[in-house]
Amino acid sequence: VNRSTDPDWAEHAAAELKAAGHRAGGARKVVIDLLADQHCCLTAQQIYDRLRERGSVVGIASVYRALDLFTNLRLVHRIDIGPAAYFEPNNPGGDHHHHVVCEQCGGVSAFEDPSLERSIDRVAKSMSHSVSGHDVVLRGTCADCEDAG
Amino acid sequence: VNRSTDPDWAEHAAAELKAAGHRAGGARKVVIDLLADQHCCLTAQQIYDRLRERGSVVGIASVYRALDLFTNLRLVHRIDIGPAAYFEPNNPGGDHHHHVVCEQCGGVSAFEDPSLERSIDRVAKSMSHSVSGHDVVLRGTCADCEDAG
DNA sequence: GTCAGTGCAAAGCTTTTGCAGCGCG
DNA sequence: CGCGCTGCAAAAGCTTTGCACTGAC
């Protein structure tokens, strides 16, 4: 769960945008490229900051608009953790994972577990609600903070 | 997962507050009583509105302060869904459940599944992160919206 | 040339904080 | 009768929206 740089996803996202009738603006491109480089989820603010560090001057409103569009097209996945929303590439097919949050430092990391997925799928099928997606968030203290505290 | 009114929890919460050295203010009491009456989680704004409907004039700041205190004492459980935080009584021992959100109407309902819990506990134990809690959120379309749409 | 996409600034929500006064213990 | 709790109002995040302008097609 630590793959960096996913050119396949970036291409996939660009193709889906075009297919949905959207033009290829500059802000969307750099947001896609940044997301494709990440190994875990980021907030809109983190994306904005990293883009500016890289020299891409984009407005934060464009970051939000891009993320909103990508989320609606199911190109990115949105996770609500505490007061902010986190975003990450939604890889069609592979790499389905969930998140662990450190209550001390706020750090977010990823994990995956096929048998947990099977449990969730089974529950989802047994409900009257139709279920199209899910999220699991574990909360606790990460190894670093455990050592420090 | 549809038990309304939980006087046991209200008593428990009051006792824990006292034990932690807190005074019994009016705002905290009505928030506890309201939460004890609910069958599912509420946002701070919903709690504020329902209290005023009932004739309890409390400031929304006091609602937030009460919820923050209760969460720290682990008397209530906080769930982040979309842009807002939801709160519900944290029943010691029984009634551990999770939530399903309707993407159409925004409605939140509860479900429980012991085998899902076992899956999560097993994953939690296998991590370097120490894990003290977790949440599962399913997203989809509820039966009513499915019929309507 | 048209209109989607963009950046900036202002506004909207949720949540937190400052402060004076009330009231529990 | 002190200090914790409360309500109001102002402020502090996160996110969305209005608007004029740029640039993709």
Side-chain angles (χ1 to χ4, degrees):
Chain A
V1 192
N2 200 342
R3 173 212 302 127
S4 294
T5 309
D6 189 340
D8 289 349
W9 176 79
E11 274 178 42
H12 166 69
E16 287 289 312
L17 278 177
K18 188 175 228 174
H22 293 282
R23 294 183 184 174
R28 283 174 190 166
K29 184 180 188 325
V30 293
V31 170
I32 287 176
D33 288 346
L34 183 80
L35 283 174
D37 269 6
Q38 300 309 314
H39 65 280
C40 201
C41 50
L42 295 175
T43 64
Q45 187 68 52
Q46 288 172 332
I47 293 169
Y48 173 81
D49 291 342
R50 293 194 189 186
L51 288 178
R52 285 187 110 88
E53 282 168 20
R54 290 183 173 194
S56 303
V57 177
V58 297
I60 196 161
S62 296
V63 173
Y64 277 106
R65 276 187 286 235
L67 292 170
D68 189 47
L69 175 63
F70 299 165
T71 303
N72 288 334
L73 292 175
R74 312 225 172 225
L75 295 172
V76 313
H77 182 63
R78 175 194 164 130
I79 310 115
D80 298 302
I81 301 178
Y86 286 73
F87 299 87
E88 66 188 3
N90 189 8
N91 228 311
D95 191 38
H96 182 75
H97 64 252
H98 295 293
H99 298 91
V100 191
V101 183
C102 176
E103 289 176 319
Q104 310 299 308
C105 67
V108 178
S109 46
F111 73 90
E112 59 185 322
D113 185 86
S115 102
L116 174 58
E117 297 305 318
R118 285 194 294 274
S119 260
I120 292 173
D121 289 345
R122 191 169 28 69
V123 172
K125 283 196 191 104
S126 73
M127 302 193 26
S128 60
H129 225 274
S130 90
V131 175
S132 62
H134 63 261
D135 280 300
V136 178
V137 177
L138 306 186
R139 276 171 283 95
T141 309
C142 70
D144 288 352
C145 289
E146 195 90 31
D147 293 344
Chain B
V1 194
N2 199 340
R3 175 212 301 126
S4 295
T5 310
D6 191 339
D8 289 349
W9 175 79
E11 275 179 42
H12 166 68
E16 288 289 312
L17 278 177
K18 188 175 229 174
H22 293 284
R23 294 183 183 175
R28 283 175 190 166
K29 182 177 189 327
V30 294
V31 171
I32 288 177
D33 288 346
L34 184 80
L35 284 174
D37 269 6
Q38 301 307 317
H39 66 281
C40 201
C41 51
L42 295 175
T43 64
Q45 187 68 52
Q46 289 172 331
I47 291 169
Y48 174 82
D49 291 342
R50 294 194 189 186
L51 288 178
R52 286 187 109 89
E53 282 169 21
R54 291 182 172 195
S56 303
V57 177
V58 298
I60 196 160
S62 298
V63 173
Y64 276 105
R65 277 187 284 234
L67 292 171
D68 189 47
L69 175 63
F70 300 166
T71 303
N72 287 335
L73 292 175
R74 311 228 170 222
L75 296 172
V76 312
H77 183 63
R78 174 194 166 130
I79 310 114
D80 298 303
I81 302 178
Y86 287 72
F87 299 88
E88 67 187 4
N90 189 10
N91 229 309
D95 191 39
H96 183 75
H97 63 253
H98 294 294
H99 298 91
V100 193
V101 183
C102 175
E103 288 176 320
Q104 311 297 309
C105 67
V108 178
S109 43
F111 73 90
E112 59 184 323
D113 186 86
S115 102
L116 175 57
E117 296 306 317
R118 284 194 295 274
S119 261
I120 291 173
D121 289 345
R122 191 170 30 66
V123 172
K125 282 194 192 106
S126 75
M127 302 191 27
S128 60
H129 225 276
S130 91
V131 175
S132 61
H134 63 262
D135 281 298
V136 178
V137 176
L138 306 185
R139 276 171 284 93
T141 308
C142 71
D144 287 353
C145 290
E146 195 89 30
D147 293 345

